[in-house]
Amino acid sequence: MDLSLEADKRIRASHRRMTPQRRIILETLDALDIHPTAEELLGRVQEVDSSIHLSTIYRTLRWLEAEGLVQARIFNDDRRAERFDPAAPGEHYHFVCQECHAVIEFNNLLVNAIKAQFELHTGARVDFGSVVLYGLCGDCRKALLAEAG
Amino acid sequence: MDLSLEADKRIRASHRRMTPQRRIILETLDALDIHPTAEELLGRVQEVDSSIHLSTIYRTLRWLEAEGLVQARIFNDDRRAERFDPAAPGEHYHFVCQECHAVIEFNNLLVNAIKAQFELHTGARVDFGSVVLYGLCGDCRKALLAEAG
DNA sequence: TCCTTATTGCAAATCATTTGCAACTATCAT
DNA sequence: ATGATAGTTGCAAATGATTTGCAATAAGGA
Ligand SMILES: [Mn+2]
Ligand SMILES: [Mn+2]
Ligand SMILES: [Zn+2]
Ligand SMILES: [Zn+2]
């Protein structure tokens, strides 16, 4: 309901067109709480309209990315594919469970300190940072302990 | 000279074979200070023996990765290709200049605090972390200031 | 020196994403 | 409403990155 609305606004502002395909893709993205690959998103979208093609998914995602409404990221998980993050505005960080592949978002102000220290030490300007932690999520950790421990 | 030696040791320990191709690839990796893609590494390797094939590069890199002697990472730079980091043992972090695409390594103990805080808040177990900062390196920043401002 | 079997080069396959194009359709001006 | 204009779609083929099957080759131990 949020990304959908903002995208709608920007489509109207430029001379683009709101098509049924785009509407379905946007609404599907809104309803998702995960970070889907293009193919995963296609699967969800095709539950509503099975004629929508993968290339339309990509074209819509790339436009949203250019608008700053989603971010594409690649995690070091099993897939080598890009995952699309609809919660774009506002930097946040990720934990990836290497067992169940769940992605958990988090925030931590210490990242700002890391950026500042790097800038001081090197004279560089840091525009944004990516932090990804890998390990076992709470659930998988419990499951492992219960089973083998 | 370092990775070469360690790899040599492990080859001898298992029942693998030290071939001239592998020796050249290992020595080239040792001499590099950058984080090459497979193709970039191939270029350097072919300066010594132009008959060495890309698939041999990949096979050697994947073996080194399995041995924990290099790490494969994907940065959000212009290429979508994996970059291979020979400085594997010991976690360290990266800055990527979005102008000249230079990669600068750094370390910061605050990352440990971030990991610890995440573990406390979620009950997860964090095994390792990836931190990549993006921006303008010191040189590119100076160049930009001198030119436009 | 000979055998065994790991390794190589090459071509073809696979995976993820992009692009060209003809058919289609949203939007706007009659 | 109707038609013209130009953005958009589905599909197939192209591209870029990496992997795999296979026959020929060559390490390294007997
Ligand atoms: Mn996210
Ligand atoms: Mn590194
Ligand atoms: Zn898990
Ligand atoms: Zn730079």
Side-chain angles (χ1 to χ4, degrees), chain B residues 95-104 135-141:
Chain B
F95 168 88
V96 180
C97 176
Q98 308 210 268
E99 183 65 25
C100 70
H101 302 117
V103 174
I104 302 173
L136 277 192
C137 74
D139 290 350
C140 288
R141 196 179 164 200

Side-chain angles (χ1 to χ4, degrees), chain B residues 16-17 19 21-22 51-53 56 59:
Chain B
R16 296 173 165 274
R17 291 168 190 180
T19 65
Q21 292 92 327
R22 283 215 249 249
S51 74
I52 294 181
H53 198 274
T56 301
R59 283 189 276 236

Side-chain angles (χ1 to χ4, degrees), chain B:
Chain B
M1 279 291 180
D2 200 19
L3 191 152
S4 244
L5 234 58
E6 181 60 28
D8 203 278
K9 197 179 303 179
R10 301 203 191 185
I11 283 177
R12 236 162 280 285
S14 60
H15 45 121
R16 296 173 165 274
R17 291 168 190 180
M18 177 51 67
T19 65
Q21 292 92 327
R22 283 215 249 249
R23 203 181 312 278
I24 292 169
I25 293 171
L26 289 168
E27 277 164 11
T28 305
L29 265 177
D30 266 339
L32 279 181
D33 50 339
I34 61 170
H35 296 68
T37 63
E39 290 227 336
E40 285 166 359
L41 180 57
L42 178 70
R44 300 300 195 98
V45 158
Q46 287 188 338
E47 290 171 15
V48 182
D49 178 345
S50 67
S51 74
I52 294 181
H53 198 274
L54 184 57
S55 62
T56 301
I57 300 280
Y58 273 111
R59 283 189 276 236
T60 302
L61 285 171
R62 293 303 175 206
W63 174 71
L64 287 168
E65 193 184 9
E67 290 291 318
L69 297 177
V70 310
Q71 281 183 7
R73 13 178 63 107
I74 300 181
F75 297 122
N76 278 49
D77 58 359
D78 49 340
R79 325 268 306 90
R80 197 193 325 289
E82 286 175 293
R83 294 187 166 276
F84 295 88
D85 191 341
E91 196 171 292
H92 63 275
Y93 313 107
H94 298 90
F95 168 88
V96 180
C97 176
Q98 308 210 268
E99 183 65 25
C100 70
H101 302 117
V103 174
I104 302 173
E105 301 187 332
F106 69 94
N107 231 307
N108 193 314
L109 295 177
L110 289 178
V111 179
N112 293 327
I114 293 176
K115 292 183 189 175
Q117 286 179 21
F118 184 83
E119 287 181 329
L120 277 181
H121 288 356
T122 66
R125 188 190 75 200
V126 175
D127 293 323
F128 66 97
S130 151
V131 178
V132 187
L133 304 180
Y134 296 89
L136 277 192
C137 74
D139 290 350
C140 288
R141 196 179 164 200
K142 263 178 231 147
L144 191 74
L145 285 177
E147 166 197 320

Side-chain angles (χ1 to χ4, degrees), chain A residues 35 73 85 87 92-94 103 105:
Chain A
H35 297 68
R73 14 179 62 108
D85 191 342
H92 63 275
Y93 312 107
H94 298 90
V103 174
E105 303 188 330

